[in-house]
Amino acid sequence: MELVPYLSDSTDTATEKIRVRIRQNALLAKIACKCIRQKDVALTVYKTIYLSHSTPGGFLANERWVAHELAHVRQFMTYGYIRFLVMYLAESLRKGYFQNKWEAEARAQEEKTDILQEFYFEYQL
């Protein structure tokens, strides 16, 4: 996995892999922590992963967690930003977070860490 700062000069990486941004200490992720009663959360919105308490390096060291969040990136890319948000939120309201089919699909992808090769990661300095 490659971790580069925002606005990096790494042009050859950008043409081969999909860019995913990582935002550390994000309010959105901290709110999610309280909602699902977890100590540490990564929340993915399209191609940005918001971290509540982890550092980008700590997050990327956990390949299962990264693969899970990248499954959400793929879901956003497959269904589109608005459509996937609506489907995800509707499923969460009907079944709750842990029974949400989109979360189940992402959990099923956690062992498939080959997905990590398709992406590179930018973080904000």
Side-chain angles (χ1 to χ4, degrees):
M1 288 179 287
E2 185 175 359
L3 179 64
V4 298
Y6 278 2
L7 305 174
S8 168
D9 292 333
S10 180
T11 55
D12 48 300
T13 300
T15 60
E16 299 170 14
K17 297 182 180 185
I18 299 165
R19 179 184 67 191
V20 174
R21 291 186 170 165
I22 298 175
R23 298 211 177 189
Q24 182 178 352
N25 214 16
L27 179 60
L28 188 60
K30 289 181 178 186
I31 292 168
C33 276
K34 292 184 187 290
C35 291
I36 63 171
R37 296 184 175 112
Q38 297 290 316
K39 290 183 180 182
D40 201 7
V41 166
L43 185 140
T44 299
V45 178
Y46 194 53
K47 294 181 185 176
T48 302
I49 300 171
Y50 297 91
L51 303 176
S52 61
H53 298 93
S54 291
T55 63
F59 168 71
L60 292 173
N62 186 335
E63 290 187 350
R64 287 177 52 108
W65 194 9
V66 177
H68 177 104
E69 296 308 319
L70 292 178
H72 291 311
V73 171
R74 276 190 176 163
Q75 291 165 339
F76 271 104
M77 292 173 66
T78 299
Y79 297 103
Y81 184 89
I82 300 296
R83 183 174 177 214
F84 180 67
L85 271 179
V86 169
M87 292 187 312
Y88 183 94
L89 293 173
E91 181 77 6
S92 290
L93 289 172
R94 278 195 307 273
K95 297 186 177 178
Y97 171 78
F98 293 102
Q99 300 303 318
N100 181 321
K101 70 180 178 182
W102 307 108
E103 285 300 324
E105 182 179 295
R107 283 191 298 272
Q109 298 299 310
E110 291 175 1
E111 295 296 325
K112 300 177 182 175
T113 57
D114 55 317
I115 189 175
L116 279 57
Q117 303 310 311
E118 299 173 29
F119 299 87
Y120 75 99
F121 303 88
E122 289 184 343
Y123 65 95
Q124 192 165 8
L125 294 172

